[in-house]
Amino acid sequence: MGWNPKYALLLAFCTAVTFFASLLLEKHKDKANLILVLALCVIFSLLLYYKYLNFLLELFAKTLSVVRIRFAAPKFDIVLPVGISFFTFQAAGYLIDVWRGEIRAERNFLRYALFVSFFPQLVAGPIERSRNLMAQFEEPRKFDFDRAKNGFMLILWGLFLKMVIADRAAIFVDAAYGGWKNVHGLILILATVMFAFQIYCDFYGYSIIAKGAAQILGITLMDNFNAPYLSVSVQEFWRRWHISLSTWFKDYVYIPLGGSRCSRPRSALNVIAVMLVSGAWHGAGLNFVAWGLFHGIAQVAERIAKPLLVRVPRFIRWAGTAFWTTVAWVFFRAESLKDSLRMLKRMAGSVKRAFMEGDVFSSSQLFQIGAVSVDDHAFELKFGFTAKDMHLLGFAVCILLIADFLKYKGISVSEMFCKRNPAIQVVGTAIAITFLAVFGIWGTAFDAANFIYFQF
Amino acid sequence: MGSESTYRPFVKEKAEYDVFFLGSSHVGCGIAPMELWEAYGITSYDFATSAGTIPTLYNQLRLSVRHHKPKIAVLDVMGADCDVYVSSQMDSVHVALDYFPLSRQKYECIADLFPDDKKRRIAYLFPFTIFHNRWVDMTPEMIWDGIFNVPVNNVKGQWLDYSLDTVSRPANEIQTDETLQDNPLGMQYIEKFITFCRVNDIIPVLMSIPYPVTSISARKGENSVQTLSERMGVSYYNLQGTGVVDYATDLRDPSSHVNFSGARKVTLYIGERLRNDYGLTDHREEDSYASWKADSKVYAQQLVNNLQGQTDLKVCLMILYSPNFTAQLHLREDAELDPVEKKLVSQLGNAISIEEVPLAPDVPYIRLDIHDISGGTDFTKYF
């Protein structure tokens, strides 16, 4: 992943291509389709090159090997420019909106460039729509203390998610997944559950920080997450997870393919196609495609089984959704499709043995692997994770779930806090900052600035 | 002990210091400022850093003179042959530097020690970035002590310990007349130390605390320091091979650090040289040094308390190598001292008398009557 300033040229190129293409679209309506296709080909070819070339060559070689043709795929040392997936999609979305006639092409290059490169959301979203973001640039913004205060609270919340939960969970997850061949299946299950929170808090944390930073500047970005782990179906999960991306795919891929306004089989294929592309968007690897497929299959199954599912108690539906999305994370986190399948097999085997050999519902079972418990120094040495880290993580996740539950019910905690007595706000903020300073994973031993989604 | 525990007493001291001793753990173990005070009335402080490199010690001097400026700075030159800025023992570097407050000079010192590593500089300029995660290791007792009961080094930086190692045998020492061929950082910073002292009106002195030298590079380093000291007109007190310490009785660990008795010998030797060469004043009767007199009483009481708690005859005999005690050793006729114990007894001279006691059922094997001269108390130990 590259932070090299020369990649700003790439951003500038993408901006220029889509800016001029949008003007041409309006000027030459008879050639609009051609202009759109050409422009999208140009910007997506860059994405294809930087992100997928090596993967596609490898895939090509593997396909040929199936028919016994040997092809040594060349490997190129290509550094992925940070944020390329995000700004490419954002620019493409704008161009398609102009082509559809939903918005007018922006005449001011600088304002358009600002839309594409707006720094809070440039590197990891949310993928904004021009009608939301660009419209805000047209009006001058005055500094508003309350809005800035709210923005600062959002940044603190985002830092809590990132530094206290995500980066802490990452220590254990990286150790477990990194050495998974020597790790018990139950530990891998624990690591997968922790990864579910790691990726959520890492990505949500970034989005909230971006939203908070933009808010200080007087710009409102869209919500990118809305309590996804409280979903009772995979379909609902995708309405609450990475909302900007899922709505982008819905508006620019799913609906153009026909959406649900076609036959059931075709509609199901559309869902699968979108989820496959979504998976591929997340990473150049078959495991990411598998992750997308896993979600796609679940969504199709839910549609088919809808009449039955509505009778299932809400808690069971929630548990099933949580289980399915957690299992899917194995594909996302593993290094390859093969590894993910083997890890799932290891986990399944350990669960089966736990049922046959002991009380799987004993809380100590999860932490007693042979003679090693989470309080053991050996556990700490192997995973770099202490019992206190586990307790703190559990506490922090509880806070997250409470906040998400309140959000699910339509209650904004930050707004509630900002309406409190100023003295309480000051003390609360000081406590929050102190909490982050002491319990956050930061410092010269860590690089907290690296967010998982920067690599997409 | 941490940085604050070690250097807060130094910073808070109201009286002036005559001497700073800078060096590695060998200085921490081998120089006893309270013994120097009691024998010569010279005030001093140990700036001892575990595995401390000479660049680290040089920068520590730069930071410490902002608080007190000594008349003499004595640098132990172990590590003259080393070519690294800092030791791999990062925690000891933190102990050496963390207590000194953030300032432009501290930034310069840290930048000097980490010329190519900006990330590490942050860790030393803002130690909280490293230590904020220590909550994982802390217990309620530690938190309580950290707020209300911070331990301090009350022996002027010395690593006071009563260990005695008679088991490990120091390896044969290497001898050579050769000097170092290149000019490693250790040698460069000895020169910087000398220059810094002279610019700041501090007398620079170099020394080598005795330990069995088994590295030819270290021995060459000492020879190079000898040459440098002659070239720059600086005193070099090289105690190596002088017989000041006896490795059979005066070591405390297999790493060949000197023990309590060895430290006393080294300190008295250095103290006499400094007094004779530089005419240091005896402050023992000066009112402005009343705190040192009080500290001396505390130190004496510490020795008594430790002696009373000891169960090892050798350690007791080692601690008795202090002007604060006289003793009578009663040996039952079947009791015999081993060679180390005999040596420890002989170095006490007239401070100990030996009596042979006839064998009888109620007579202890060995009885040691100790008289504490400073406190006026007597107590007896049985072995």
Side-chain angles (χ1 to χ4, degrees), chain B residues 60-96:
Chain B
Q60 201 180 23
L61 177 65
R62 289 173 72 191
L63 291 171
S64 57
V65 296
R66 285 166 60 95
H67 301 277
H68 291 283
K69 197 168 86 166
K71 297 183 182 66
I72 302 173
V74 182
L75 175 68
D76 182 67
V77 297
M78 184 182 186
D81 59 318
C82 291
D83 202 26
V84 292
Y85 280 99
V86 291
S87 148
S88 57
Q89 288 184 26
M90 285 295 146
D91 54 337
S92 68
V93 184
H94 276 287
V95 172

Side-chain angles (χ1 to χ4, degrees), chain B residues 313 329-338 341-342 354-359 363-367 383:
Chain B
L313 174 62
L329 185 63
H330 305 273
L331 295 173
R332 204 168 68 186
E333 66 180 35
D334 61 331
E336 199 173 330
L337 300 177
D338 66 32
E341 287 160 353
K342 284 178 183 168
I354 302 171
E355 183 192 342
E356 196 175 285
V357 180
L359 184 65
V363 171
Y365 188 70
I366 295 175
R367 189 180 107 204
F383 303 94

Side-chain angles (χ1 to χ4, degrees), chain A residues 168 386 388-389 392 437-444 446-447, chain B residues 119-120 122-123 128-130 132-139:
Chain A
R168 176 164 274 103
T386 66
K388 281 184 181 167
D389 279 315
L392 177 65
V438 174
F439 298 111
I441 301 292
W442 64 282
T444 50
F446 308 98
D447 196 345
Chain B
K119 261 194 174 177
R120 289 264 277 274
I122 293 172
F128 187 71
T129 61
I130 290 284
H132 73 93
N133 206 39
R134 277 216 67 214
W135 65 271
V136 171
D137 302 317
M138 292 182 87
T139 60

Side-chain angles (χ1 to χ4, degrees), chain A residues 227-240:
Chain A
Y229 287 142
L230 297 181
S231 304
V232 295
S233 69
V234 175
Q235 290 175 86
E236 186 185 1
F237 177 83
W238 281 98
R239 287 195 294 274
R240 293 175 175 277

Side-chain angles (χ1 to χ4, degrees), chain A residues 80-102:
Chain A
L80 182 68
V82 68
I84 188 169
S85 303
F86 292 90
F87 65 72
T88 304
F89 270 46
Q90 189 152 307
Y94 160 78
L95 201 59
I96 296 171
D97 286 346
V98 171
W99 174 76
R100 284 176 175 170
E102 288 174 7

